[in-house]
Amino acid sequence: MTEKHNKYQSGCPIAYGLDIFGDRWSLLVIRDMAIKGARSYGELLKGSEGISTNILAQRLKSLEESGILQKAKDPQNGRSFIYSLTQKGRDLAPVLADIAMWSAKHNKAGHAMTGFSDKVQADREGVISRIYAGELP
Amino acid sequence: MTEKHNKYQSGCPIAYGLDIFGDRWSLLVIRDMAIKGARSYGELLKGSEGISTNILAQRLKSLEESGILQKAKDPQNGRSFIYSLTQKGRDLAPVLADIAMWSAKHNKAGHAMTGFSDKVQADREGVISRIYAGELP
DNA sequence: TAGATCACTTGCAAAATGCAAGTAGTGAAT
DNA sequence: ATTCACTACTTGCATTTTGCAAGTGATCTA
């Protein structure tokens, strides 16, 4: 795995993160894996608010190259692959948690998927440590 | 201020956040205001890793419409404006802090602007509460 | 009152995105 | 053994967004 994505490299830690997941879809893919337990291409395609298939393929490749996730053959089904977050990917749990808390506070129109916001607000640390451990929050 | 940006509206709290700041530049603008204390168009233009002027203008408008920041005339200088984060914008401090902590852990090549990472690692809560209060971390 | 500042806007090329359709390698059923 | 379906993509092309360079207009400054 090689670090790429250095298009905007500046040494700033915020910019480093954005260089990897600072686009419309990457964090949604990570969310689907971390929070919803999505593991296959098909699940991710259905999960991410209508991401198109070419963009999903591109993001998966890019996130794999950045060490956020890994791809393995499904031993149960030869035509399918299993995507899973690496520790580097699971370490983004606090970011997901804080965005959810921020939205819970500021999105007055929110209604769907409040489950995660609720869990985070009730027990932020517990949610984060479950994601760290590779479990569902 | 009207809530727009509902292009991808799904009700998910993560998607709500990404809808507002899920692009290459918005969080960098917010970072420059929250962490570096940037207040004018010119400072933001110089601060954000080479953002182009049309994109900066666009983002400032969009972030203002989303209630993240506000724009006021500079009473000292009639040709200049003062941009400042609203509480909604300052509430993103934990997100910035966690991205910085994540990068500190995973970006082995990092060197510039480690000051913020160091501060966050030493005293995350202090950094966040100073940003909440509108101070520099 | 001429020149510099500041905050943009405009025009155009280049890149990223979105959509629809197609492909390749299994697996399952006949 | 062959057809059909499933899974994970790839490809082509139109649309949208971005990036760069240059230009505009309203202050301030000398």
Side-chain angles (χ1 to χ4, degrees):
Chain A
M1 181 268 293
T2 327
E3 298 278 342
K4 307 197 337 176
H5 300 284
N6 34 0
K7 192 171 173 189
Y8 296 93
Q9 206 57 298
S10 74
C12 167
I14 308 295
Y16 172 77
L18 293 178
D19 212 29
I20 292 177
F21 55 77
D23 67 273
R24 177 68 217 175
W25 298 110
S26 295
L27 263 187
L28 290 180
V29 168
I30 294 166
R31 172 205 66 180
D32 284 344
M33 299 181 71
I35 300 175
K36 300 184 181 169
R39 311 202 129 256
S40 67
Y41 190 92
E43 287 174 317
L44 290 165
L45 199 57
K46 284 177 180 53
S48 285
E49 272 84 6
I51 188 173
S52 28
T53 173
N54 54 343
I55 303 296
L56 176 59
Q58 214 174 88
R59 288 300 176 278
L60 287 172
K61 192 181 170 201
S62 156
L63 289 171
E64 192 187 359
E65 284 168 353
S66 300
I68 302 291
L69 53 82
Q70 57 204 169
K71 183 183 179 181
K73 284 187 179 172
D74 185 341
Q76 315 298 310
N77 184 343
R79 66 194 155 180
S80 142
F81 293 90
I82 296 177
Y83 289 95
S84 58
L85 293 174
T86 59
Q87 189 58 51
K88 186 174 182 179
R90 293 192 297 271
D91 282 348
L92 286 169
V95 176
L96 295 176
D98 289 340
I99 294 176
M101 292 187 77
W102 181 83
S103 294
K105 179 172 179 186
H106 293 286
N107 181 14
K108 298 312 179 192
H111 33 299
M113 257 212 64
T114 43
F116 182 64
S117 288
D118 293 347
K119 277 176 200 160
V120 172
Q121 288 187 298
D123 180 19
R124 178 180 185 272
E125 298 312 313
V127 164
I128 289 174
S129 59
R130 280 189 289 280
I131 294 176
Y132 278 163
E135 302 165 17
L136 291 187
Chain B
M1 184 267 292
T2 326
E3 298 278 342
K4 307 197 335 176
H5 301 283
N6 33 1
K7 191 172 172 189
Y8 295 93
Q9 206 57 299
S10 74
C12 167
I14 308 293
Y16 172 77
L18 293 178
D19 212 29
I20 292 177
F21 55 78
D23 68 273
R24 178 69 216 174
W25 298 109
S26 295
L27 262 187
L28 290 181
V29 169
I30 295 166
R31 173 205 64 179
D32 283 343
M33 300 182 71
I35 299 176
K36 300 184 182 168
R39 310 201 131 256
S40 67
Y41 191 90
E43 287 175 318
L44 291 165
L45 199 57
K46 284 176 182 51
S48 285
E49 271 84 8
I51 188 173
S52 28
T53 174
N54 54 343
I55 303 296
L56 176 59
Q58 215 174 87
R59 287 301 175 278
L60 286 172
K61 191 181 170 201
S62 156
L63 290 171
E64 192 186 0
E65 285 167 355
S66 300
I68 302 291
L69 53 82
Q70 57 205 167
K71 183 184 180 180
K73 284 186 180 173
D74 185 341
Q76 314 299 310
N77 184 343
R79 67 192 155 179
S80 139
F81 294 91
I82 295 176
Y83 290 95
S84 58
L85 293 174
T86 60
Q87 189 58 50
K88 187 174 181 179
R90 293 192 297 271
D91 282 347
L92 286 169
V95 176
L96 295 176
D98 289 340
I99 294 176
M101 291 187 79
W102 181 84
S103 294
K105 179 172 179 185
H106 293 286
N107 181 15
K108 297 312 178 192
H111 33 299
M113 257 212 63
T114 43
F116 182 64
S117 288
D118 293 347
K119 277 176 199 158
V120 171
Q121 288 187 298
D123 180 19
R124 177 181 187 270
E125 297 312 314
V127 165
I128 290 174
S129 59
R130 280 188 290 280
I131 294 177
Y132 277 162
E135 302 164 16
L136 291 187

